[in-house]
Every structure is written in structure tokens, then in C-alpha cells.
Amino acid sequence: MGINQQQPSGDTPNATLSVEVAFDNVCILPQTPQLIALLSIIRNKNTERADFIFYSNRIIRLLVEEGLNHLPVIAQTITTPVDRTYDGLMFQGKICGVSIMRAGEAMEQGLRDCCRSVRIGKILIQRDEDTAQPKLFYDKLPEDIADRWVLLLDPMFATGKL
């Protein structure tokens, strides 16, 4: 979500917002009152566990939906139940999710809620203590992953580097 700063003015007084980051491939969720309210709930030290889980899942769903907005689509004309045509869209190709084991698994249900029967792979990456470089410990990926658009599920965005 980027680095936080106080909003100087606007419709949401005194709210902490995310700012743009210097990477072309990073998108910031729109800083809507809904998102700011959800973040306020999960950041509140008095929020109970069940509420934290519920509202975290709402934010995850927003993230997944935004990720899907960035996938390529192609035109598709369909016929409605009243025999009219509708010029719509469909995803260009198959998609799958790959969760970074442990933390990323919290995002799997949000992806499943948005994409029926989606394939989900898993990887376990940890930082090597000696080199401080990432090290792949485990992977279980769909056999046809090269033919799919991949949504990487990891709620701990820091540097954008693996």
C-alpha cells in the first residue's frame, strides 16, 4: 500500500493515507473512506480477533479485486436470457494464485471468492541468514503455470523484491 502520511485536506479529515511509490508496477488501492475505515479497525489495538479477521478478509477481497482489474481482457459478445446480445469482456487466458506459504495463505479464500475453481500453488521463500538473499525452500505449482496469469498472494509488501 505504500508509505503512510497524514492527508493535508479533503473529504476525510485526519486520515492516514498511502502515497504513491516510485515503482511503475505498483498500484495503490484507491484511498476510499471504506478502505480507511477498514484499516482503522484492523489497526486498532482494541479490535477483537474475530473482527480483525473479518475486516482483514474484506481488505484482502478489495486487493484481489483490484489485482483482477489489471489482467488483460478480450471482447466477448453473449446472448442474454431475453435473446439480446451484450458486448462484454472475458479474461484473456487462465489465471492462478501462488501464495507465499504462511502469510500468503490468508489471501487464498479472497481469491477463491472472486474466481471460481481457481488453481492455487504455493511457494516457501525465506531469507538466507548468511547472504540475506531469498532462498526457495519449497514449491508446488500448477503444471501449466507458464500458460496462466499469476496473482502472487503475499500480504507483506515491503521492497517488491523476492
Side-chain angles (χ1 to χ4, degrees):
M1 297 249 322
I3 301 168
N4 292 328
Q5 74 174 16
Q6 288 292 333
Q7 179 181 2
S9 63
D11 295 336
T12 313
N14 301 320
T16 301
L17 299 179
S18 296
V19 296
E20 295 298 319
V21 292
F23 298 102
D24 292 337
N25 61 344
V26 174
C27 299
I28 304 297
L29 282 179
Q31 303 295 286
T32 62
Q34 172 190 207
L35 178 59
I36 295 167
L38 294 170
L39 289 169
S40 298
I41 293 168
I42 69 167
R43 290 175 174 164
N44 186 336
K45 69 177 184 177
N46 297 317
T47 296
E48 301 212 5
R49 182 179 187 277
D51 288 336
F52 178 87
I53 292 169
F54 178 84
Y55 292 108
S56 294
N57 286 336
R58 285 277 299 119
I59 294 169
I60 288 168
R61 175 95 182 235
L62 293 172
L63 284 167
V64 168
E65 289 172 355
E66 183 62 25
L68 293 171
N69 282 332
H70 294 273
L71 294 178
V73 293
I74 55 176
Q76 177 187 38
T77 301
I78 55 105
T79 303
T80 70
V82 294
D83 265 343
R84 305 252 175 151
T85 59
Y86 174 77
D87 295 326
L89 300 172
M90 63 185 272
F91 289 119
Q92 181 183 9
K94 298 176 184 176
I95 66 171
C96 72
V98 173
S99 67
I100 305 293
M101 288 177 70
R102 294 192 296 255
E105 291 168 329
M107 300 181 75
E108 290 178 10
Q109 189 59 49
L111 179 57
R112 285 188 181 102
D113 290 344
C114 293
C115 301
R116 189 176 194 153
S117 301
V118 66
R119 306 269 322 266
I120 296 181
K122 296 182 182 287
I123 58 177
L124 176 59
I125 297 175
Q126 292 181 341
R127 189 170 307 275
D128 185 289
E129 296 290 328
D130 297 327
T131 65
Q133 295 296 312
K135 183 176 178 183
L136 178 64
F137 281 88
Y138 173 83
D139 69 277
K140 176 94 170 126
L141 304 170
E143 290 181 16
D144 62 346
I145 194 166
D147 300 323
R148 294 176 178 266
W149 293 99
V150 177
L151 296 172
L152 184 62
L153 307 177
D154 183 16
M156 301 302 295
F157 176 73
T159 65
K161 298 177 184 177
L162 291 178

